Amino acid sequence: MASRTIDVLLELTELAPVEQIEVMLEPQVLVDLLDTFGHPREETKRRLASGTLPGELLRDLLKEHGAAAVWERVPPSAQRGMREPKKPRRGILGRLETKERSRAERWTSVAGLCALIWSGMWMAGAFPEWGRGPSLGTTIASCLGGAAIFGPLTVPRSAGMIGGFLAGAANVLAAWLWLTHFPEIRVGRLAVLAIVLLPLLLGLLFSWLFERLFAVTRPRGF
């Protein structure tokens, strides 16, 4: 019996996509399809009682009328309930390389990176006439900028937002350390890179760790 069932399933997969077969094999859908194509209920009951498998009923229907014609007769509500194939989960670096993010998410990440760099430059003294050192405004810009960078890169987004927020806090700390230990050095491009690069790497690490943590603690469905 098991071998027969497997053989029928293999035949079905050659006739129609697996996702459609799952829908058409639902009892009510299959009965409605048989009715639609002129198979009386009594005949269906007789065949099932004699040992015919539901998959064999569907197989004969697909062979007789074709998969496209049969699928067209499936109710739209059942078609909408068809399970979509799961997309492969990508890591943070994989999402950076692909175009999975929307245009709004990409612009949000760019704006966050600008905020992170700008706040780092300000705090390190790149604009001496405007002031230097951490302040409430630069701290907020740095933390929100970090959250904007890494939020779109994780699933769920909250993992990247938390990791990015910590990266922004690390940016403030790096700028403060630079200002404390190298106050006499003029801040140029290399200095800004040194200040911002470490928080960005920490942001990647924190986001990856929180994504893994949330994946472990997330309740699994049946």
Side-chain angles (χ1 to χ4, degrees):
M1 185 67 173
S3 176
R4 179 183 167 195
T5 302
I6 293 174
D7 291 339
V8 173
L9 289 175
L10 290 175
E11 287 186 75
L12 288 172
T13 58
E14 295 176 357
L15 297 172
V18 175
E19 294 80 9
Q20 294 182 5
I21 292 172
E22 290 181 356
V23 175
M24 291 187 288
L25 277 177
E26 293 181 8
Q28 188 59 51
V29 174
L30 181 57
V31 170
D32 291 342
L33 287 174
L34 291 169
D35 289 345
T36 301
F37 284 97
H39 294 269
R41 292 283 180 98
E42 293 302 322
E43 176 190 347
T44 301
K45 291 180 181 179
R46 179 179 56 78
R47 294 186 63 184
L48 291 173
S50 65
T52 302
L53 298 174
E56 291 175 322
L57 296 177
L58 179 60
R59 177 199 60 192
D60 296 341
L61 202 62
L62 294 174
K63 286 184 175 181
E64 182 179 358
H65 301 283
V70 176
W71 181 250
E72 286 181 358
R73 300 300 183 92
V74 175
S77 58
Q79 292 184 11
R80 287 193 296 269
M82 183 177 64
R83 291 189 303 173
E84 296 181 357
K86 293 183 178 180
K87 296 182 179 179
R89 290 178 58 86
R90 297 181 182 272
I92 294 176
L93 296 180
R95 296 187 194 101
L96 279 172
E97 296 173 358
T98 63
K99 296 182 179 179
E100 290 183 3
R101 293 175 296 161
S102 66
R103 179 178 297 180
E105 288 175 330
R106 290 195 293 269
W107 279 111
T108 299
S109 294
V110 171
L113 182 60
C114 292
L116 193 74
I117 295 175
W118 171 83
S119 58
M121 292 176 65
W122 181 301
M123 290 183 289
F127 313 105
E129 65 277 11
W130 295 343
R132 61 192 301 189
S135 65
L136 179 61
T138 53
T139 301
I140 292 175
S142 182
C143 292
L144 292 183
I149 294 172
F150 296 103
L153 298 179
T154 59
V155 179
R157 292 184 181 180
S158 55
M161 293 180 69
I162 295 173
F165 189 90
L166 293 177
N171 186 45
V172 175
L173 178 61
W176 178 79
L177 290 174
W178 179 274
L179 189 62
T180 301
H181 296 284
F182 307 101
E184 71 285 353
I185 299 179
R186 181 182 177 184
V187 176
R189 294 179 180 177
L190 292 178
V192 171
L193 282 177
I195 294 169
V196 177
L197 183 58
L198 179 60
L200 286 175
L201 294 176
L202 288 176
L204 280 174
L205 176 62
F206 289 145
S207 299
W208 177 79
L209 288 174
F210 280 111
E211 185 177 47
R212 294 292 298 271
L213 177 63
F214 288 3
V216 170
T217 58
R218 192 182 305 137
R220 297 182 181 273
F222 291 99

